[in-house]
Amino acid sequence: MHVTIAILTILASLKWGNWKNWREYHASMFFIATCGLLYEYIVKDYALWKFHADFLYGIEMTVIVYALITMPVSVFLFLSHFPKKWFNRLFYILLWTGIYISVELILYVFGRISYQHGWEIGYSFLFDIVMFSVIAIHQYYPFRAYILSVFIIVSLILYFNVPFNFA
């Protein structure tokens, strides 16, 4: 199932992505890849959500596929058509949140993702809204997105009691 999601994301990017201007989105694509890998590092022994491997590869490869292919390519798609007007941006972020939460629900139903330590699908919905908002901010104001991300990460670590040593 994870392979299918990666392939469909790549195919969607080939059809609807703004490949002419892909370099404009490169930093935000790298940002989301870094955030995905950072999540895996921070919660390596205390995951809030966890992917379960498909038959083609193990959990480590699943994480790498999401962090280095699926997420950056979907960010490329998201930013390729990001609206200019603020009002439209809110609906666009909600649309992408709906897409992500729908895919996550499918993964959940088929046992390809599970939740631990108090995380639930409702948190994923809120997280996706925040994530797409931060990606949009990153596209225009990268430093602000980095600062905001630190506060979000620390808040999530504290709220979910993730055993992480800040020292």
Side-chain angles (χ1 to χ4, degrees):
M1 185 160 286
H2 302 297
V3 173
T4 303
I5 292 169
I7 291 170
L8 289 174
T9 305
I10 291 167
L11 291 174
S13 78
L14 293 173
K15 180 167 177 65
W16 293 297
N18 181 1
W19 284 98
K20 187 172 105 177
N21 298 318
W22 75 270
R23 284 182 179 88
E24 290 179 30
Y25 318 120
H26 182 261
S28 294
M29 293 165 66
F30 182 71
F31 173 68
I32 199 65
T34 303
C35 289
L37 293 172
L38 182 61
Y39 164 78
E40 292 298 328
Y41 174 75
I42 290 173
V43 302
K44 63 181 174 256
D45 297 321
Y46 193 87
L48 299 174
W49 64 87
K50 186 176 182 181
F51 293 116
H52 300 285
D54 285 335
F55 61 94
L56 292 179
Y57 48 81
I59 189 64
E60 292 84 8
M61 188 56 72
T62 301
V63 167
I64 289 171
V65 167
Y66 275 102
L68 300 182
I69 297 172
T70 307
M71 294 293 294
V73 172
S74 63
V75 165
F76 164 68
L77 271 169
F78 170 73
L79 293 173
S80 287
H81 302 283
F82 195 70
K84 301 279 187 220
K85 296 181 180 179
W86 278 99
F87 186 72
N88 294 339
R89 289 177 179 183
L90 297 174
F91 286 109
Y92 191 69
I93 288 169
L94 288 174
L95 170 70
W96 274 86
T97 298
I99 292 168
Y100 260 53
I101 208 69
S102 297
V103 170
E104 187 169 324
L105 242 120
I106 293 167
L107 289 172
Y108 181 76
V109 166
F110 286 97
R112 301 291 94 200
I113 192 171
S114 63
Y115 308 119
Q116 291 85 224
H117 308 292
W119 192 269
E120 299 172 358
I121 192 91
Y123 288 122
S124 291
F125 179 78
L126 295 173
F127 181 84
D128 289 344
I129 290 172
V130 171
M131 178 185 72
F132 283 113
S133 299
V134 171
I135 291 166
I137 292 168
H138 183 272
Q139 184 62 22
Y140 300 103
Y141 309 101
F143 186 72
R144 292 178 190 173
Y146 298 139
I147 298 301
L148 186 57
S149 295
V150 168
F151 284 109
I152 293 166
I153 290 167
V154 170
S155 297
L156 288 171
I157 287 170
L158 294 173
Y159 185 81
F160 288 99
N161 298 312
V162 176
F164 183 75
N165 187 355
F166 290 99

